[in-house]
Amino acid sequence: MALIVLMEDDAATRTLVASVLRKDGYDVLSADNGLSGLALIRQNKPDLVISDVQMPVMDGFAMLQALRADPAIMAIPVVLLTSLQERAHMRIGMTSGADDYITKPFRPGELREAAAAQLNKRQMQAAVQTMAVEAAVQAALEDQKHHLSYLYEQKLASELSEKWPSADGTSDDEKFSNATVLFVDVLHYAALAEKLSSSELSDVVRQFYNNAGDTVHLFGAKHMQFVGEGLLVVFVDSTDTDSVNHGLRAARAALGLLDAARRVQKFIHSQFPTHRLPRFDVSVALNSGPVALAKLEDPLHGGMHILPVGDTVSATLLLQKQAYKAGWQIAASVAMLRGVTGGVTTGGRALVALPGRSAALDAAELLGLALQA
C-alpha cells in the first residue's frame, strides 16, 4: 500500500485531499505546515509527497529544498498544490525539483491522475528498460543514408507492412479511451518550395517521409496519414509491443523523427550546396486522450478511408503550431506526460493558448528518454 505525506495548512482542503487519496486505497499522513511535514517524511519515508506552497513555519518551496538536500529522502517525488495567483512562481518549484503541480481549485480526478502518475514511476522505468532492444533499430536508422538501394527499401517496407493495420470492410469505427496522437510538420516548407524545383523538392520530402514512415512503423503505430505537409500518427496499447505503453512509444518515435530531420539536412547540404536553403527541421506535438478511428467510404473511388477524430486529435494539431512559436522541437501535453512519468525528461512547461479553444493546454517541452542504468 503506497504511503503519501500531505502538507496543507487549510483544514478543509487537507481533509478533502486526504479523503480522495484514502478512497483510492492510499495511506495518508497529514501535516499543517512544511516543517511538521518534513519530519513525517524523514520518519516514514513515504512513496509520494503532496504539498501546498503557501504554509506557515516552512513553506512548500523551503520544504522541497530541504527534501532534495537530504540523501535519505531526496528521490521521493513531490507534487505541489498552488493557487491561480501563484502560477508565476511555479517555475521556482519545478526548477527546485518538484515533479508536478496542480492548480487550485482542482478536480478530484486531477489529483488522482497526478498521484497515480508519480507512483507509477518505478513501473515506467522498468518499461523503459524493455526499449533497450530498440537500440539496434535506432542505430540502423541513424546510419541509414540516402544512397540505400531501392531493393533494400522495398524489402523493409514489405516487412513492416505485415504489421500495418488495414480496413476490415466494416463500417464500425475503432474507439480508444486513451491513445497518444503524434503530429509532425516540416518547418520552412514554403521557403524550400520557393527555392527548389518540384522534382528537387520531391526528393527532399521523400527522404524525410520514407524515414518518418519507417520510424513510426517500428514503434508500433496504429494509424498514420498525411495532413498537408505534416504527418498524423496514432499510437494505442497492443499486445505486440513488449508491454511498452503507447505514450512511451510515441515519445520514442518523436525523438526518432528529429534524427530523421537531421539526416535530411545532411542530404540537402550535399545535394544543394549553393542553393542557400533554410535548415530542414521539423516540429512535433504529442497529446493523449480519447481517439476514434472513423471508417469512411469513398463514394467516388470505392474502398474505405480511416480518419482519426476527436478533441485529442484537434488539440494535437493546434499544439504543434503554438509549440513551434515557443521554440520547442517536441511539445507534449501534461496529460500525455503523466502517462510516461519517469520515462522521459522535460524542459520548460507552460499553459499554451490554442486558437479556437476556451481553455489553454498544459504542456511541456519533451527533451529525451530518462534511460536508467
Side-chain angles (χ1 to χ4, degrees):
M1 188 72 64
L3 174 62
I4 299 175
V5 166
L6 167 65
M7 285 170 259
E8 170 61 66
D9 62 322
D10 181 76
T13 303
R14 188 170 64 247
T15 299
L16 172 62
V17 173
S19 176
V20 170
L21 294 173
R22 290 189 178 111
K23 187 175 181 180
D24 280 2
Y26 303 128
D27 291 327
V28 181
L29 297 176
S30 300
D32 61 4
N33 65 77
L35 187 61
S36 299
L38 192 60
L40 287 176
I41 295 171
R42 287 172 171 153
Q43 181 179 356
N44 297 279
K45 305 297 190 298
D47 300 287
L48 174 65
V49 173
I50 298 177
S51 174
D52 189 19
V53 172
Q54 297 296 333
M55 294 183 293
V57 185
M58 175 185 283
D59 66 21
F61 291 146
M63 180 281 301
L64 178 60
Q65 185 177 14
L67 183 149
R68 294 297 184 231
D70 188 336
I73 57 175
M74 64 187 303
I76 298 173
V78 177
V79 176
L80 295 178
L81 305 177
T82 176
S83 68
L84 285 171
Q85 293 84 352
E86 296 162 351
R87 269 196 180 277
H89 305 295
M90 288 317 301
R91 183 180 297 274
I92 301 173
M94 302 306 288
T95 303
S96 301
D99 296 275
D100 201 353
Y101 69 85
I102 305 174
T103 303
K104 302 176 184 176
F106 52 82
R107 295 178 292 103
E110 292 181 273
L111 178 65
R112 293 190 179 97
E113 289 174 4
Q118 297 306 321
L119 293 170
N120 192 41
K121 271 187 175 179
R122 192 168 298 176
Q123 177 183 349
M124 186 55 59
Q125 288 168 353
V128 172
Q129 298 304 311
T130 68
M131 297 185 71
V133 178
E134 297 169 359
V137 173
Q138 177 62 17
L141 285 174
E142 291 175 347
D143 292 340
Q144 187 182 46
K145 303 295 182 181
H146 64 273
H147 62 267
L148 286 178
S149 69
Y150 177 78
L151 179 61
Y152 172 81
E153 292 186 356
Q154 288 296 99
K155 181 180 178 181
L156 178 61
S158 176
E159 292 174 352
L160 292 171
S161 66
E162 293 178 1
K163 294 175 61 179
W164 194 247
S166 59
D168 58 8
T170 71
S171 60
D172 295 333
D173 296 345
E174 290 188 271
K175 299 177 181 178
F176 303 95
S177 60
N178 193 23
T180 296
V181 178
L182 178 155
F183 181 65
V184 56
D185 201 13
V186 177
L187 304 178
H188 316 304
Y189 183 85
L192 288 169
E194 181 181 16
K195 296 186 177 183
L196 294 175
S197 68
S198 58
S199 61
E200 291 172 335
L201 182 62
S202 177
D203 287 341
V204 171
V205 171
R206 186 179 297 109
Q207 282 290 323
F208 177 67
Y209 283 113
N210 280 349
N211 281 308
D214 290 350
T215 299
V216 298
H217 272 297
L218 288 166
F219 291 108
K222 173 68 174 175
H223 174 77
M224 78 172 220
Q225 70 179 66
F226 292 102
V227 179
E229 293 83 41
L231 183 66
L232 181 68
V233 188
V234 179
F235 293 83
V236 301
D237 281 335
S238 59
T239 58
D240 60 352
T241 54
D242 296 330
S243 76
V244 178
N245 76 19
H246 53 80
L248 200 56
R249 286 185 284 111
R252 193 69 185 84
L255 294 165
L257 291 172
L258 298 189
D259 290 337
R262 285 188 281 269
R263 291 194 295 275
V264 174
Q265 174 58 28
K266 291 180 181 178
F267 168 75
I268 291 176
H269 183 72
S270 64
Q271 294 296 309
F272 314 110
T274 63
H275 282 55
R276 295 185 179 179
L277 298 173
R279 181 174 181 81
F280 186 92
D281 212 344
V282 296
S283 173
V284 188
L286 298 165
N287 188 22
S288 293
V291 174
L293 297 180
K295 296 182 179 179
L296 308 174
E297 293 186 9
D298 186 339
L300 293 178
H301 306 96
M304 192 80 67
H305 295 281
I306 298 177
L307 179 66
V309 296
D311 182 63
T312 303
V313 177
S314 61
T316 308
L317 298 174
L318 294 170
L319 176 61
Q320 181 272 324
K321 300 299 182 187
Q322 300 305 308
Y324 164 60
K325 295 177 181 178
W328 296 353
Q329 280 196 293
I330 303 177
S333 68
V334 168
M336 178 270 174
L337 291 172
R338 281 177 176 156
V340 296
T341 299
V344 298
T345 59
T346 58
R349 178 171 172 177
L351 281 173
V352 181
L354 303 182
R357 292 170 59 90
S358 59
L361 186 66
D362 199 355
E365 182 182 17
L366 191 149
L367 299 177
L369 293 176
L371 293 173
Q372 304 295 317

